[in-house]
Amino acid sequence: MSLPASRFTAALRIASRRYPAQRGAPTPRPHLGREHVRCFSGSPRWQIRTKEMNDDLMKDLKVNQARLMEDIHYTCQWGTGERWGEKPTETGMARLALSDADKAARDWFVEATEALGCKVTVDAMGNIFAVRPGLRNDKPPTFVGSHLDTQPSGGRYDGILGVTAGVEMLRVFADNWTETEYPVGLVNWTNEEGARFPMSMVASGVWAGSIPIEAAHSLREVHPGTETMKSELQRIGYLGSTPASYESMPMAAHFELHIEQGPLLEMANKKIGVVTGVQAYKWLTVKVKGRDTHTGTTDLKSRADALLTASKMILHSHRLATANCALASTGILNLKPGSTNTVPGEVTFSLDIRAPKDETVDKMKDSILRDFPKIAAGEDVEGSNHGCTSGLSLEVEIVEDFDSPATNFHADCITAVRQSAKSILGPNQSMEMTSGAGHDSVYASKRCPTSMIFVPCREGVSHNPREFCKEQDCASGAQVLLQSVVRFDRMRDERRVSWKQEPYTL
Amino acid sequence: MSLPASRFTAALRIASRRYPAQRGAPTPRPHLGREHVRCFSGSPRWQIRTKEMNDDLMKDLKVNQARLMEDIHYTCQWGTGERWGEKPTETGMARLALSDADKAARDWFVEATEALGCKVTVDAMGNIFAVRPGLRNDKPPTFVGSHLDTQPSGGRYDGILGVTAGVEMLRVFADNWTETEYPVGLVNWTNEEGARFPMSMVASGVWAGSIPIEAAHSLREVHPGTETMKSELQRIGYLGSTPASYESMPMAAHFELHIEQGPLLEMANKKIGVVTGVQAYKWLTVKVKGRDTHTGTTDLKSRADALLTASKMILHSHRLATANCALASTGILNLKPGSTNTVPGEVTFSLDIRAPKDETVDKMKDSILRDFPKIAAGEDVEGSNHGCTSGLSLEVEIVEDFDSPATNFHADCITAVRQSAKSILGPNQSMEMTSGAGHDSVYASKRCPTSMIFVPCREGVSHNPREFCKEQDCASGAQVLLQSVVRFDRMRDERRVSWKQEPYTL
Ligand SMILES: [Zn+2]
Ligand SMILES: [Zn+2]
């Protein structure tokens, strides 16, 4: 592609220069002043305008796979985790939110996006918004975003892929002198994992108005428990002055690229998941109370065995999930007193129930509230007592800790992703799916049109050092992300023309 | 009863004087010299000889219920545990072996038994043997015994009742100028509970030659782990010079009074359990290995859920126990990684299997070794998969940690207990039973005729602060213990006469 030089060329050349090798120390980047940052808004019409692109021209906006991978692995120098293979990049990640490692990754994000001509805003939750001007900068940007924090034994792709793909999108636009009708943004959301400060997606939740900022600021780190979210935001210099709110930082849309974190794409041999929504889920805590007794001296009839009863309940929750095409999982179980020769008198366990529809999750919960007390009382529920000795009656308490209703993503965003996947990979390489896990897109979707793009990860493994996504799949996902933004930008313009007004204005 | 005064009267009067009130500080007791200790062996025939007693005279050797209870509660000032009721005696016990509290209880034991004319020997395991001379002191004593240590949240009866009932027996003999044909002994075994130094019945095990003394001495305390059994024996002054062995301290018999620690006597409304043996048991550790996966993104088919599989195994072990009239119990269960939204990839649990016969325990173990790998592999075992989604295959490892074969107590000891119970309480107040739990009597029975006497405890609760045995039941048990010793002493003499040789000589 050959285009006339312009006064922006110098800046763009700097922005598109190759980054230093991943294992080297971070190299200072030239800082771009305000005059450069605003340069796009007044750019003349000879830039490539997205509204003038046909499918072929869109394909020319090509993600650089090697550069994307280099960004991923370069930024993984901050908070490198457990090694699982021999290659330099075969380690996990341990980059807890607002740690020194997270600060380093954030600084990289700010420098990289400012170098690409973006205006960077940090809000009171430490969310970082980088906005690349379009032609109509009086309107909210079309955003892409994800998170740079990881689980304590997390991987290199969860969250990181989504953010680096956003940076790659900005690089491709810069390289190709692309001019969008509306501004385009990239957001890094704070503490998505909820691993250090125990509330997942808390910062997008505050932005959406779903979580009060005071509650978020006062969240105390899980370990060692001395710092709060606010004190750590302050310490690393990311307590911004802009209110954390969709009103201060409106979005016209939010697209998020993410590894699937499950096995469905791999099993179906598809490259792209067109995510139509996020399934509903509830977290319950179940406490079973029986009686501590000696394992040797207490016959089966005289027991109130809390663990045997909990085992029946866990098995029954799995049967209910099977019957309802839902999910039921117990990830935490604690018992008392914990001695080989004492029948446990108390067991507490978590129960995570999920389904694409709220009604299914509600039905699961109703069944649990109906059946668990019966199981505790010793009644047979669908064969739960088959072959058992009936013992003494136990008590059960069930508390709902967390409720996340089903999220349905926006048809326009879903369409943009579906068309992009088909255009880039052909007709049979994508499938529609719901996300099993929560993401910042859940809160984003409360305030703007949203959807997500999934790429396969090896064996569905995530939140684990061995988490892995093939380079080609990372690049395909980033390509679909980029094109979805372009398509959405064009759609906004078409709608404006046909409707004679701006769609998606908050 | 009125008997001529003798040169022993002074000593006996001191021995039978009332102990100070339970909440007072321990009062120093007058120390009896060696000349008093040996006085019984040469006593003239006008003492009451057990061989001359008929059933009525035996009944006159009457346990003093109030004095027994006072000894129990007086000694519970050392290591008092959690309060569960309002009365001064309504607390549990926390008297870990070889602690300062245990030392205080041991000092009381030594003083009390020496004051009653006993010779006290401490062996290299800190076992304390108090021997009251009989007429034929060249032969081993008929022993009673139990333990003064408790669980960290134990009760006032387990172990303590057996020892204090032995002291009460000595007091009754002293009060009544009773002369036994053979010496009579009382033993306090060290660390029966295995709560502080993690090996139950370790000191009787060393005595029996089943556990090497080096292994026992080097046992490290569970918490905080700085001291060993030997260093603590030394510190509290109970590392005796006598070898811990049945050869150095032979016993003609070992009788142990103990609370049942189970509900059978209470349910049957019986006062005395005539214990014919101790059931066999094995301790297994089962490790189930699956895969950590996200609860929200992993469909049921793609899971290797270690906790769901462990639940099936626990339920199946209970079914096997039901089918075999055996017991199966899981008291410990740990899982990894332990997060609400992660399906656990690894679960480790204990499995305690018990039955009166070795063959039954062996059969249970064989069934477990056959069935658990099938359950892990996803096969249905007797309906274990009913209503379930079949997932991925898991692995299971099963290790046998501990094996205690069935113990059959000695017919002569059992007969002595059975006859005593019938004589004292009438024909329908006792029942024959096996002990579910291990006791020092298990090791004692390897080296001498042994049996046990059980009394009911409230709701079968033991190893718990609320452990409770009615005063009348404590006294009945002590009365049966005393009479069993007298009957056994007479039986030894009768056998000697009819067989022309000593029975039970080691
Ligand atoms: Zn993520
Ligand atoms: Zn005991």
Side-chain angles (χ1 to χ4, degrees):
Chain A
M1 217 181 280
S2 170
L3 286 159
S6 82
R7 63 189 169 102
F8 307 115
T9 309
L12 291 168
R13 286 275 172 256
I14 290 165
S16 64
R17 83 186 247 285
R18 298 284 280 111
Y19 276 58
Q22 63 185 82
R23 277 183 307 283
T27 306
R29 308 270 148 62
H31 188 76
L32 298 180
R34 288 281 147 162
E35 68 281 12
H36 292 99
V37 171
R38 289 207 201 85
C39 60
F40 289 93
S41 60
S43 61
R45 292 299 165 95
W46 46 256
Q47 303 281 351
I48 312 179
R49 287 179 61 172
T50 47
K51 66 181 288 184
E52 288 158 2
M53 286 182 183
N54 59 17
D55 272 23
D56 280 347
L57 276 170
M58 271 197 285
K59 279 188 193 170
D60 282 340
L61 292 175
K62 217 165 161 46
V63 158
N64 180 332
Q65 179 177 313
R67 182 170 60 182
L68 170 65
M69 296 318 295
E70 202 170 283
D71 273 350
I72 290 176
H73 297 311
Y74 178 74
T75 59
C76 286
Q77 73 181 282
W78 301 299
T80 308
E82 192 184 306
R83 177 160 295 286
W84 58 266
E86 291 181 359
K87 290 190 201 163
T89 61
E90 289 178 344
T91 77
M93 284 297 290
R95 189 159 71 206
L96 293 178
L98 312 185
S99 61
D100 289 347
D102 189 33
K103 175 186 161 46
R106 286 163 172 269
D107 290 350
W108 169 85
F109 178 97
V110 172
E111 273 193 64
T113 55
E114 284 186 343
L116 289 163
C118 293
K119 178 174 189 290
V120 171
T121 305
V122 178
D123 75 11
M125 283 302 294
N127 297 318
I128 317 175
F129 304 86
V131 176
R132 181 182 193 267
L135 285 165
R136 300 173 50 81
N137 292 312
D138 53 328
K139 298 297 168 194
T142 302
F143 266 93
V144 303
S146 198
H147 58 97
L148 286 169
D149 72 318
T150 78
Q151 289 281 333
S153 66
R156 291 185 164 231
Y157 302 89
D158 178 352
I160 298 170
L161 172 61
V163 175
T164 50
V167 173
E168 175 59 23
M169 173 187 77
L170 297 173
R171 295 199 202 288
V172 174
F173 286 159
D175 284 355
N176 292 281
W177 289 268
T178 309
E179 208 163 41
T180 53
E181 295 303 305
Y182 295 88
V184 167
L186 167 62
V187 53
N188 171 46
W189 298 105
T190 299
N191 192 54
E192 192 271 349
E193 296 290 359
R196 182 172 182 200
F197 301 98
M199 195 180 284
S200 302
M201 305 166 273
V202 60
S204 53
V206 173
W207 174 87
S210 301
I211 298 170
I213 183 127
E214 297 75 23
H217 271 175
S218 61
L219 276 174
R220 196 161 285 281
E221 58 181 345
V222 169
H223 179 83
T226 43
E227 300 301 328
T228 64
M229 205 155 183
K230 189 175 183 182
S231 71
E232 282 295 272
L233 280 167
Q234 221 147 14
R235 182 183 70 83
I236 69 165
Y238 278 88
L239 182 63
S241 53
T242 303
S245 165
Y246 64 94
E247 286 168 326
S248 306
M249 183 55 68
M251 297 186 181
H254 184 267
F255 289 93
E256 185 172 4
L257 168 64
H258 208 280
I259 54 170
E260 183 199 342
Q261 303 185 287
L264 300 180
L265 286 171
E266 193 176 68
M267 287 192 323
N269 200 25
K270 304 285 184 188
K271 294 299 173 197
I272 294 288
V274 178
V275 186
T276 57
V278 178
Q279 66 185 344
Y281 65 97
K282 282 184 195 292
W283 285 358
L284 310 178
T285 296
V286 181
K287 183 182 274 191
V288 183
K289 285 185 189 167
R291 205 178 62 177
D292 303 352
T293 45
H294 194 292
T295 57
T297 57
T298 320
D299 61 312
L300 301 181
K301 280 182 193 159
S302 304
R303 296 182 178 202
D305 185 334
L307 184 58
L308 179 67
T309 305
S311 297
K312 290 178 186 177
M313 289 171 176
I314 290 166
L315 205 53
H316 186 62
S317 72
H318 174 79
R319 278 194 208 107
L320 287 172
T322 301
N324 289 289
C325 296
L327 299 175
S329 323
T330 294
I332 295 175
L333 185 147
N334 291 303
L335 56 79
K336 282 182 193 168
S339 163
T340 301
N341 61 354
T342 306
V343 176
E346 191 176 303
V347 172
T348 306
F349 64 91
S350 64
L351 190 54
D352 171 322
I353 50 179
R354 305 198 187 216
K357 292 187 178 175
D358 291 328
E359 304 87 85
T360 315
V361 170
D362 290 342
K363 192 180 162 199
M364 285 283 292
K365 188 186 167 188
D366 290 348
S367 302
I368 285 161
L369 291 181
R370 179 194 64 206
D371 294 343
F372 279 17
K374 288 185 191 171
I375 291 172
E379 290 178 45
D380 187 84
V381 179
E382 292 172 34
S384 61
N385 284 348
H386 165 68
C388 295
T389 302
S390 69
L392 303 180
S393 186
L394 293 90
E395 284 172 30
V396 62
E397 285 171 18
I398 304 170
V399 176
E400 183 177 317
D401 298 317
F402 194 68
D403 175 41
S404 178
T407 301
N408 295 307
F409 287 148
H410 196 282
D412 290 343
C413 292
I414 296 168
T415 301
V417 172
R418 187 191 295 121
Q419 289 177 345
S420 300
K422 195 173 167 190
S423 160
I424 292 161
L425 292 154
N428 295 315
Q429 295 299 306
S430 61
M431 61 190 271
E432 316 240 322
M433 58 198 307
T434 51
S435 169
H439 295 282
D440 290 311
S441 288
V442 170
Y443 283 119
S445 74
K446 292 183 190 295
R447 298 299 172 185
C448 68
T450 297
S451 76
M452 293 184 73
I453 299 150
F454 276 176
V455 285
C457 56
R458 185 173 57 190
E459 293 174 27
V461 172
S462 178
H463 288 190
N464 188 301
R466 305 182 79 91
E467 180 182 277
F468 182 76
C469 179
K470 288 180 196 160
E471 299 199 353
Q472 198 185 319
D473 293 340
C474 290
S476 299
Q479 192 66 56
V480 173
L481 180 74
L482 184 156
Q483 195 173 111
S484 298
V485 169
V486 172
R487 285 181 188 273
F488 195 85
D489 185 61
R490 293 200 314 183
M491 185 160 46
R492 286 176 79 178
D493 185 62
E494 287 159 18
R495 293 269 172 91
R496 185 183 58 85
V497 172
S498 60
W499 297 356
K500 312 282 186 223
Q501 63 174 38
E502 293 289 339
Y504 317 123
T505 306
L506 289 156
Chain B
M1 221 181 282
S2 171
L3 286 160
S6 81
R7 63 189 166 103
F8 307 115
T9 308
L12 293 167
R13 288 275 171 256
I14 289 164
S16 64
R17 83 186 247 286
R18 297 286 277 110
Y19 276 58
Q22 65 185 77
R23 278 183 307 284
T27 307
R29 307 270 147 63
H31 188 73
L32 298 180
R34 288 280 147 162
E35 68 280 11
H36 293 99
V37 171
R38 289 207 201 85
C39 57
F40 289 93
S41 59
S43 63
R45 292 298 164 96
W46 45 257
Q47 302 282 350
I48 312 180
R49 286 180 62 173
T50 49
K51 68 182 285 185
E52 288 159 359
M53 286 182 182
N54 59 17
D55 272 23
D56 280 347
L57 276 171
M58 272 198 283
K59 279 188 192 169
D60 281 340
L61 293 176
K62 215 164 163 47
V63 158
N64 181 331
Q65 179 177 314
R67 185 170 59 183
L68 170 65
M69 297 317 297
E70 203 170 284
D71 273 350
I72 290 176
H73 297 313
Y74 179 73
T75 59
C76 285
Q77 73 182 283
W78 300 301
T80 308
E82 193 184 303
R83 178 161 294 286
W84 58 266
E86 291 182 0
K87 289 189 201 163
T89 60
E90 290 179 345
T91 77
M93 283 298 289
R95 190 159 69 208
L96 293 179
L98 311 185
S99 61
D100 290 345
D102 189 32
K103 175 187 161 46
R106 286 163 171 269
D107 290 347
W108 169 84
F109 177 96
V110 172
E111 272 192 65
T113 55
E114 285 187 341
L116 289 162
C118 293
K119 178 172 190 291
V120 171
T121 306
V122 178
D123 74 11
M125 283 302 294
N127 296 319
I128 317 175
F129 304 86
V131 176
R132 182 181 192 266
L135 286 165
R136 299 174 50 81
N137 291 313
D138 54 327
K139 299 297 168 193
T142 302
F143 265 93
V144 304
S146 198
H147 58 97
L148 286 170
D149 73 315
T150 79
Q151 290 281 333
S153 67
R156 292 185 163 229
Y157 302 90
D158 178 351
I160 298 171
L161 172 61
V163 175
T164 50
V167 173
E168 175 60 22
M169 174 187 76
L170 296 172
R171 293 198 205 289
V172 173
F173 286 160
D175 286 354
N176 292 280
W177 288 267
T178 308
E179 207 163 41
T180 52
E181 294 304 305
Y182 295 87
V184 167
L186 168 61
V187 52
N188 171 45
W189 300 104
T190 300
N191 193 54
E192 192 272 351
E193 297 289 0
R196 183 173 181 199
F197 301 98
M199 194 181 284
S200 302
M201 305 167 272
V202 61
S204 52
V206 173
W207 174 87
S210 302
I211 299 170
I213 183 127
E214 297 74 24
H217 271 175
S218 61
L219 277 173
R220 197 161 284 281
E221 59 181 345
V222 170
H223 180 82
T226 44
E227 301 302 328
T228 64
M229 206 156 181
K230 188 174 184 183
S231 71
E232 282 296 271
L233 280 168
Q234 220 146 16
R235 183 183 69 83
I236 68 164
Y238 278 88
L239 183 64
S241 53
T242 302
S245 165
Y246 63 95
E247 287 168 356
S248 306
M249 183 54 68
M251 296 186 182
H254 185 267
F255 289 93
E256 186 172 4
L257 169 64
H258 208 281
I259 53 168
E260 182 199 342
Q261 303 185 285
L264 300 181
L265 286 171
E266 193 177 69
M267 286 192 323
N269 200 25
K270 304 283 184 190
K271 294 299 172 197
I272 294 289
V274 178
V275 186
T276 57
V278 178
Q279 65 184 343
Y281 65 96
K282 281 183 195 294
W283 285 357
L284 310 178
T285 296
V286 182
K287 184 181 273 190
V288 183
K289 285 184 186 168
R291 204 178 62 178
D292 302 353
T293 44
H294 194 292
T295 57
T297 57
T298 320
D299 61 311
L300 300 182
K301 280 182 195 159
S302 303
R303 296 182 178 201
D305 184 336
L307 184 59
L308 179 66
T309 305
S311 297
K312 289 177 185 176
M313 289 171 177
I314 290 167
L315 205 53
H316 187 61
S317 71
H318 174 79
R319 278 191 209 110
L320 288 172
T322 301
N324 289 289
C325 296
L327 299 175
S329 323
T330 295
I332 295 175
L333 185 148
N334 291 302
L335 56 78
K336 284 182 191 170
S339 162
T340 301
N341 61 356
T342 306
V343 176
E346 190 177 303
V347 172
T348 306
F349 64 91
S350 64
L351 190 54
D352 171 321
I353 50 179
R354 307 199 185 214
K357 292 187 178 173
D358 291 328
E359 305 88 85
T360 316
V361 169
D362 290 341
K363 191 179 163 200
M364 285 283 292
K365 188 187 168 190
D366 290 347
S367 302
I368 286 161
L369 291 180
R370 179 194 67 207
D371 294 343
F372 279 18
K374 288 186 191 172
I375 292 172
E379 291 178 45
D380 187 86
V381 179
E382 292 173 35
S384 61
N385 284 346
H386 165 69
C388 296
T389 302
S390 68
L392 303 180
S393 186
L394 293 91
E395 284 172 29
V396 62
E397 285 171 17
I398 304 170
V399 176
E400 183 178 315
D401 298 318
F402 194 68
D403 176 41
S404 178
T407 300
N408 294 308
F409 287 148
H410 197 282
D412 289 343
C413 292
I414 296 169
T415 301
V417 172
R418 188 190 293 121
Q419 288 177 345
S420 300
K422 196 174 165 189
S423 160
I424 292 160
L425 292 153
N428 294 313
Q429 294 301 305
S430 60
M431 61 190 272
E432 315 240 323
M433 58 198 307
T434 51
S435 170
H439 295 283
D440 290 310
S441 287
V442 169
Y443 282 120
S445 74
K446 292 183 190 294
R447 298 300 172 185
C448 68
T450 297
S451 76
M452 293 184 74
I453 299 151
F454 275 176
V455 285
C457 56
R458 186 173 57 191
E459 292 174 27
V461 171
S462 179
H463 288 191
N464 189 301
R466 305 182 80 90
E467 180 182 276
F468 182 75
C469 180
K470 288 180 194 158
E471 298 199 355
Q472 199 186 318
D473 292 339
C474 290
S476 300
Q479 191 67 56
V480 172
L481 180 73
L482 184 157
Q483 194 172 114
S484 299
V485 169
V486 173
R487 283 181 189 274
F488 195 83
D489 185 60
R490 293 200 315 182
M491 184 160 45
R492 287 175 80 178
D493 185 61
E494 286 158 20
R495 293 267 172 93
R496 183 182 60 84
V497 173
S498 59
W499 298 355
K500 312 284 186 223
Q501 64 173 36
E502 294 289 339
Y504 317 124
T505 306
L506 290 156

